[in-house]
Amino acid sequence: MIIAVVGSGGKTTYIREQAKLYREQGKRVLVTTTTHMYAEPDTLFTNDSTEIGACLETKGYCMAGQRAEETDPSVSGDSGHICAGRSEQASGEKTGSRVKIRGLSSDVLAQAAKCADIVLVEADGSKGKPVKYPAAHEPVIPVDTDIIVIVMGFFAVGQTIEQSCHRPELVCACLGVTPAHHLTEQDLQKLVEEGYQKPLARRYPKAKIICRKSL
């Protein structure tokens, strides 16, 4: 089962929680991204489905992706191998310096998914902001995704758009307000519905869509 997590303000935390839950159930869990995601200490830096499958078989869990270079402008994993075919694991020192992974290539993800019971994918970026409205090319949902979870940071209620929003110009356009506008719960509900629920339901009619407030 492939679960894509989109939106802002709590995606990584949600993925960690779900990975722990599924692992406690004895499921083999793969965590990856189609954008960029901070690496954990045991992250496998690779774009090789065989290596990922071996990790899942041995440990029952694998966070995997290609190393994201600071100068890498891509948001998708389809641009080739970062590590030239050589897998690595992130040390505590490297993780402390906030190393990121980027996505696996689409064919590798498809093959790796066959080795896992659950695939959790961080499929959207928000620059660390709790609220966003997606651009036309966002989010980046993997093929054959079964569930799409929309996360939005409702703790941003009362903050201004310029303080708390990624792509503030799109947020303002959706709400018909200025960047100095203080967000309400109704504003966030509208952003979720117009930015995510409606377009995702049209684009991915077979996927189950779940909304989750991050408080």
Side-chain angles (χ1 to χ4, degrees):
M1 180 167 63
I2 300 177
I3 303 171
V5 184
V6 304
S8 54
K11 295 188 300 296
T12 301
T13 298
Y14 178 81
I15 287 172
R16 286 174 181 156
E17 292 171 350
Q18 292 301 300
K20 182 176 184 292
L21 177 64
Y22 283 119
R23 290 175 72 184
E24 289 172 350
Q25 296 173 1
K27 305 289 188 182
R28 290 172 299 176
V29 179
L30 170 62
V31 173
T32 190
T33 182
T34 55
T35 57
H36 289 94
M37 186 178 190
Y38 284 116
E40 300 288 350
D42 57 352
T43 297
L44 183 66
F45 291 95
T46 187
N47 192 42
D48 187 321
S49 60
T50 301
E51 291 180 317
I52 295 169
C55 183
L56 287 167
E57 182 67 26
T58 303
K59 299 180 179 180
Y61 171 80
C62 185
M63 172 184 265
Q66 302 181 79
R67 182 180 295 278
E69 297 176 332
E70 291 183 5
T71 56
D72 178 15
S74 69
V75 296
S76 175
D78 289 335
S79 56
H81 294 235
I82 277 288
C83 297
R86 178 171 58 89
S87 64
E88 303 175 65
Q89 288 190 317
S91 68
E93 179 182 354
K94 289 179 181 178
T95 303
S97 63
R98 309 298 281 171
V99 173
K100 282 189 174 184
I101 59 171
R102 63 187 180 95
L104 304 165
S105 59
S106 56
D107 58 332
V108 169
L109 176 57
Q111 289 299 316
K114 296 177 182 179
C115 303
D117 299 305
I118 304 293
V119 182
L120 291 161
V121 183
E122 188 165 301
D124 205 0
S126 59
K127 300 292 186 183
K129 299 288 188 178
V131 178
K132 76 171 285 188
Y133 188 97
H137 64 277
E138 298 172 317
V140 186
I141 306 291
V143 175
D144 297 327
T145 291
D146 300 288
I147 298 174
I148 301 172
V149 180
I150 305 165
V151 178
M152 190 70 74
F154 273 66
F155 55 87
V157 168
Q159 298 179 21
T160 65
I161 289 172
E162 58 190 354
Q163 288 174 327
S164 60
C165 294
H166 180 44
R167 306 204 185 285
E169 70 285 357
L170 298 180
V171 172
C172 290
C174 177
L175 300 178
V177 296
T178 69
H181 174 74
H182 289 262
L183 292 164
T184 67
E185 184 168 344
Q186 290 71 30
D187 291 333
L188 298 185
Q189 289 172 341
K190 183 174 182 179
L191 292 170
V192 169
E193 183 177 348
E194 298 297 329
Y196 287 97
Q197 282 181 294
K198 289 181 179 179
L200 289 175
R202 290 193 297 268
R203 290 164 55 190
Y204 306 98
K206 295 182 180 180
K208 180 179 180 181
I209 297 176
I210 299 172
C211 296
R212 182 179 184 273
K213 295 180 181 180
S214 180
L215 302 174

